[in-house]
Amino acid sequence: MKMTVIGAAALAMLVPAAAPAQRNAPIDAPFVLEHSYWLQRGETERFVALFTKNKLPLLQREMAEGRILWMRISRPRLSSNAASQPNLRLTIAWRNPVVAWDDVDPSRFVRTLFKNEKLWREEEAERERLVISRADVPIQEQSITRE
């Protein structure tokens, strides 16, 4: 699997170019990350089913703790043959950049949320195998609705 993940060290170099408003935001301002997934052909529904079953409950616990402010998943309504179009985007607004990039692992909830940890790990491995490529990019959200 080809993976393009922006780690904390790379983020320090990227943030000034990619998200100037977030760079100047207070340390307690929300920090939005967009996770784009390119999946094996015909496997989007399986990926979404596994994500909903195994990953979403972990993220919802993060939200209940106040670490995540909001989340959304978006998919193209019509599929395209363009390789540049991801099959799925997961956008997460973290409470702040520190929380977004800390080492707190959401899998700490696995034992309390899932009865069969072995099955959870197998299905998560399957979900990861469906991914051809992934990009995690800090983005700037801006509302443009009329008042």
Side-chain angles (χ1 to χ4, degrees):
M1 172 175 73
K2 178 181 160 197
M3 193 172 239
T4 310
V5 179
I6 300 170
L11 177 66
M13 295 181 295
L14 181 62
V15 170
Q22 286 191 9
R23 178 190 70 220
N24 296 325
I27 194 71
D28 61 345
F31 188 80
V32 183
L33 282 173
E34 184 174 81
H35 309 276
S36 298
Y37 296 90
W38 289 263
L39 306 172
Q40 293 179 21
R41 187 177 199 92
E43 296 292 353
T44 302
E45 294 304 321
R46 179 66 178 153
F47 180 90
V48 170
L50 290 170
F51 177 87
T52 302
K53 179 182 178 189
N54 294 317
K55 186 68 172 179
L56 186 58
L58 302 178
L59 295 172
Q60 289 169 329
R61 286 293 292 267
E62 295 275 5
M63 187 179 279
E65 287 188 350
R67 294 171 48 81
I68 293 176
L69 303 177
W70 57 264
M71 298 180 284
R72 81 166 163 255
I73 292 179
S74 56
R75 300 166 41 178
R77 183 170 292 201
L78 302 171
S79 63
S80 165
N81 289 334
S84 62
Q85 179 185 25
N87 300 89
L88 185 103
R89 284 194 173 107
L90 168 65
T91 307
I92 300 176
W94 294 90
R95 185 175 63 223
N96 59 46
V98 173
V99 170
W101 295 107
D102 66 17
D103 289 333
V104 178
D105 186 359
S107 66
R108 69 189 183 280
F109 301 121
V110 168
R111 289 191 177 147
T112 59
L113 291 174
F114 302 98
K115 293 177 183 173
N116 187 340
E117 186 176 345
K118 182 180 180 213
L119 177 63
W120 178 85
R121 293 195 187 287
E122 289 170 359
E123 290 181 341
E124 277 297 276
E126 178 186 353
R127 185 175 66 88
E128 289 299 321
R129 282 191 301 272
L130 299 177
V131 177
I132 296 170
S133 184
R134 173 181 166 173
D136 301 336
V137 179
I139 63 168
Q140 179 179 348
E141 289 279 321
Q142 182 177 357
S143 176
I144 56 171
T145 58
R146 288 191 222 196
E147 296 178 8

